[in-house]
Amino acid sequence: MRARKAITALGIAALTSFGAIAAAPAAQAGGYGCSGSHVWSGDVAGAGTVHTYYNGSTNCSVFVKSLYSGTRTYTDIYVQKAGDPGWIDGGGGYFTTYAGPVTIYAPGSCIREWVIELDPNGNTIVNQPTPWHSCS
């Protein structure tokens, strides 16, 4: 009888623990080296998608290639906060999948990105900004 009570108690404890784990809120996912919640994405000239994450104070953006994905091409992403004249460079290079991340402190401000991508022959296929977004 004692053994059965102990097994039942262990089973209830295990179920209770599992329930607590299953019911816990999901952590902020982030992605591509960014932390925080995914707050915006936008297509850039059919060549790929900018994804922006926000962690409560910092925006973090990446450009994920769709055209020439898997091929090493020169790709760069910059970010700008509304009201600031300059751009922060994400550190361009020859990437196969995505460029970035690039971060900016911009709580309560709109941001935008500028994306550059060259084809394997060095010809420009993208050289343009995204619209202003994440204005909260």
Side-chain angles (χ1 to χ4, degrees):
M1 184 69 153
R2 239 186 211 185
R4 188 149 87 173
K5 282 184 181 179
I7 291 171
T8 302
L10 284 173
I12 291 170
L15 287 174
T16 303
S17 295
F18 177 76
I21 291 170
Q28 291 186 338
Y32 302 101
C34 295
S35 65
S37 299
H38 188 262
V39 295
W40 187 83
S41 62
D43 177 76
V44 181
T49 305
V50 170
H51 293 280
T52 301
Y53 299 83
Y54 184 68
N55 67 10
S57 62
T58 303
N59 292 87
C60 180
S61 298
V62 296
F63 174 68
V64 180
K65 296 168 40 171
S66 57
L67 193 59
Y68 299 109
S69 180
T71 301
R72 193 172 298 280
T73 61
Y74 182 83
T75 314
D76 201 355
I77 183 170
Y78 299 78
V79 68
Q80 180 185 42
K81 181 171 105 174
D84 285 355
W87 293 82
I88 297 173
D89 187 353
Y94 288 84
F95 305 115
T96 58
T97 309
Y98 69 94
V102 59
T103 59
I104 191 167
Y105 179 80
S109 297
C110 300
I111 66 163
R112 67 179 176 172
E113 296 80 11
W114 193 288
V115 175
I116 298 171
E117 184 179 4
L118 307 181
D119 71 11
N121 296 318
N123 300 306
T124 302
I125 57 172
V126 176
N127 185 4
Q128 71 180 55
T130 65
W132 292 103
H133 62 86
S134 305
C135 304
S136 55

